[in-house]
Amino acid sequence: MELDLFVRYGPALLHGFGITILCWIAGSLGGMALGFLIACIYQWSGRWIRGLLQAYIEIVRGTPFMIQLFILYYGGPHFGLLLSPVEAGIAGFVVYGSPYFAEIFRAGFASTPKGQFEAARCMGFSEWTIVRRIVLPQMLVSITAPLTNFVIILTKETAILSVVTVPELLYETQTMAAETFTYVEPFLVLSLFYWAMVEFTSWLGRRVELRVTRHLRRA
Amino acid sequence: MDFSFSTITHNLPYLLAAARWTLIISFAGMLVGLGLGILVCAARLSRHRWLSSFAALYVSFFRGVPLLVQLLAFFYILPYAGIDLPATVAAFLSIGMCSAAYNAEILRGSLQAIPAGQKEAADALGIAPFALWRRILVPQALRIGLPSHVNELILLVKVSSLASVVGIGELTRVAQNITGQTYRPLEIYLAAACVYFVINAILAYAGRMAERRLNVGGA
């Protein structure tokens, strides 16, 4: 084992880890926001727009993330979209995650009884107030588990960003491996590291879930 | 911006030829994943504590590490361990090993839906454990879990794009090569995305047909 390698390349690896975290958080938040927007538009629009949104959801879910990244990063300049690798990575996450998040939010909307919408409208609540004060608090309980689940999936997808030269953790590890001709140790350590990261986020997810459902157990 | 349809029509035969490898890798990966998944699931439910904790560790590890990292690690470690495999075989073995973790969990869920009385009846009739699994439990579990397994297969089709990183000439890799020759990333990657989408749409449709045929979830 050549562990002094990790000391020498420590700063680069740490920087890569920072980029991984940045892309993950920015991508998850952006994807969640876009997904929520899509679910809202879906909820309050007619057949045609619903059909369009459904098509968007099906197409993004039916194609590999890598191809989506290539279209954004390499194909983007064709229609004037010049992105740096990190920007493309985050944008890719937002696009890739949005349909999955939209489906989760849509299920949340569907789980709210129709009568509550009608009652709130009768009482003169605006649509936005209905969402914010009535629907969101209730659906938070049922959607936290799938939401955290998908955020955990996104942690792993960050590795794919290395393919479009985003200098994240895998990319820095590959650079280190290529420069020092050592492959086995770095990739074993990297696997363990990702494993720990995913286990940590899923532990965090369980904590969040316990927190938002605490009123249900307090009977 | 000029969109060149002729680039697409000219290169579509190459993309379709490459799609064959995408299918081979994902279907072979699914076969390995199902076979190994059944073993992992059996181990997970075993009465021997070592066996079941090993299976739990297996599932946690292969679900916790990004597949791209698994693929790279597998490709670097194989020659280190003195094993010489064709790249395609190594790719679907690696994808299959990861898929086994997911399939094992799907199976575990499906097995819970099988009434415990069947196992007791089989015990009373003196059916050996192996025969119990092969003739009674697994066929029913696969039927119950069919929608999830089809989902997993669709995931594998998307995930097979990662094999391009280790140099296997499947759809994504060939799209990259064509882009290198034509400098038309937008057209080629959009075409590749369409091919992936069509494959997945067909698989999803076939899955629904099979569900109806096998009457999954119905009485």
Side-chain angles (χ1 to χ4, degrees), chain A residues 58-59 61-64 66-67 70-71 74-75 78-79 100 156 159-160 162-163 170 174 183-184 187-188 190-192 194-195 198-199, chain B residues 1 57 60-61 63-66 68-69 72 76-77 80 102 158 161-162 164-165 172 176 184-187 189-190 192-193 196-197 200:
Chain A
E58 292 301 329
I59 288 170
R61 288 206 303 185
T63 49
M66 212 181 202
I67 290 282
F70 285 164
I71 291 174
Y74 297 118
H78 267 248
F79 45 91
Y100 295 93
K156 294 191 288 166
I160 297 175
S162 66
V163 179
L170 175 58
Q174 278 177 308
Y183 288 93
V184 176
F187 278 92
L188 281 179
L190 187 69
S191 305
L192 293 177
Y194 272 113
W195 189 15
V198 167
E199 285 297 317
Chain B
M1 176 190 141
L57 205 67
S60 162
F61 180 80
R63 291 206 305 181
V65 178
L68 185 55
V69 177
L72 290 170
Y76 291 134
I77 288 170
Y80 190 76
Y102 289 92
K158 294 195 281 172
S161 65
L162 297 182
S164 66
V165 178
T172 303
Q176 280 175 302
R184 292 226 162 252
L186 185 65
E187 288 88 343
Y189 289 135
L190 278 178
Y196 275 112
F197 182 70
N200 284 335

Side-chain angles (χ1 to χ4, degrees), chain B residues 6-114:
Chain B
S6 63
T7 315
I8 295 180
T9 48
H10 184 244
N11 286 299
L12 198 59
Y14 301 110
L15 289 177
L16 289 178
R20 208 185 56 199
W21 283 102
T22 291
L23 285 176
I24 290 174
I25 291 174
S26 37
F27 274 86
M30 190 65 191
L31 277 182
V32 173
L34 263 182
L36 203 58
I38 292 171
L39 290 181
V40 172
C41 178
R44 184 94 160 81
L45 297 173
S46 158
R47 255 169 296 147
H48 303 283
R49 213 147 50 91
W50 281 103
L51 214 54
S52 73
S53 33
F54 172 76
L57 205 67
Y58 180 96
V59 169
S60 162
F61 180 80
F62 281 94
R63 291 206 305 181
V65 178
L67 183 61
L68 185 55
V69 177
Q70 286 179 33
L71 260 175
L72 290 170
F74 199 65
F75 269 73
Y76 291 134
I77 288 170
L78 275 185
Y80 190 76
I83 300 168
D84 188 22
L85 283 177
T88 321
V89 176
F92 74 66
L93 278 183
S94 176
I95 289 174
M97 270 159 68
C98 175
S99 175
Y102 289 92
N103 279 319
E105 288 296 284
I106 296 170
L107 274 170
R108 200 157 67 96
S110 315
L111 283 175
Q112 277 169 355
I114 299 174

